[in-house]
Amino acid sequence: QVQVVESGGGLVQVGGSLRLSCVVSGRSSSSYAISWFRQAPGKEREFIAAIYWNGGNTYYADFVKGRFTISRDNAKNTVYLQMNTLKPEDTAVYYCATSPGVRVTTPRAMNYWGKGTLVTVSS
């Protein structure tokens, strides 16, 4: 059984930074890539960034390019999301999920999810 645990959320001021971590345990061939999503109150869950375990190719949503960076540490089965220049509209619950294949931007394509970590950006 694959388990996904996020951490690193919290309260930060506008323009500040946070680094989220996602630890995947029980990793198997069912985890081909890791994606980060977020969901703000009253809104749908949206894709942020993804990274493949092998090769390290990355993908980003347009609205975070230049501000967020996704990276991985294969030895630790951990994926990071470095978030800089945070804005109030970045306030949301951030989720990490594993993808069993090449589809990494659609929530329905993910097979395992963490419980999320709350990020609050205050102005």
Side-chain angles (χ1 to χ4, degrees):
Q1 182 72 13
V2 175
Q3 291 186 324
V4 180
V5 179
E6 308 95 335
S7 63
L11 176 64
V12 63
Q13 292 186 335
V14 170
S17 298
L18 280 176
R19 189 177 80 157
L20 306 183
S21 298
C22 172
V23 179
V24 181
S25 60
R27 177 184 155 194
S28 68
S29 59
S30 64
S31 175
Y32 191 71
I34 296 292
S35 296
W36 282 98
F37 295 83
R38 71 185 184 185
Q39 189 165 18
K43 295 187 177 181
E44 293 187 352
R45 194 165 297 189
E46 62 180 353
F47 169 76
I48 301 171
I51 189 166
Y52 290 92
W53 287 116
N54 293 325
N57 287 345
T58 58
Y59 295 93
Y60 294 93
D62 287 342
F63 65 85
V64 300
K65 286 181 179 178
R67 297 195 300 129
F68 292 7
T69 303
I70 191 170
S71 61
R72 79 200 193 290
D73 184 334
N74 285 30
K76 296 181 179 180
N77 287 342
T78 301
V79 171
Y80 304 98
L81 185 68
Q82 177 67 43
M83 306 187 296
N84 299 326
T85 319
L86 285 163
K87 306 174 182 180
E89 51 265 41
D90 293 320
T91 296
V93 177
Y94 284 69
Y95 297 92
C96 181
T98 64
S99 170
V102 297
R103 296 178 64 194
V104 295
T105 64
T106 305
R108 289 179 297 177
M110 303 297 112
N111 53 356
Y112 295 99
W113 290 86
K115 294 182 179 180
T117 185
L118 177 63
V119 172
T120 304
V121 183
S122 65
S123 56

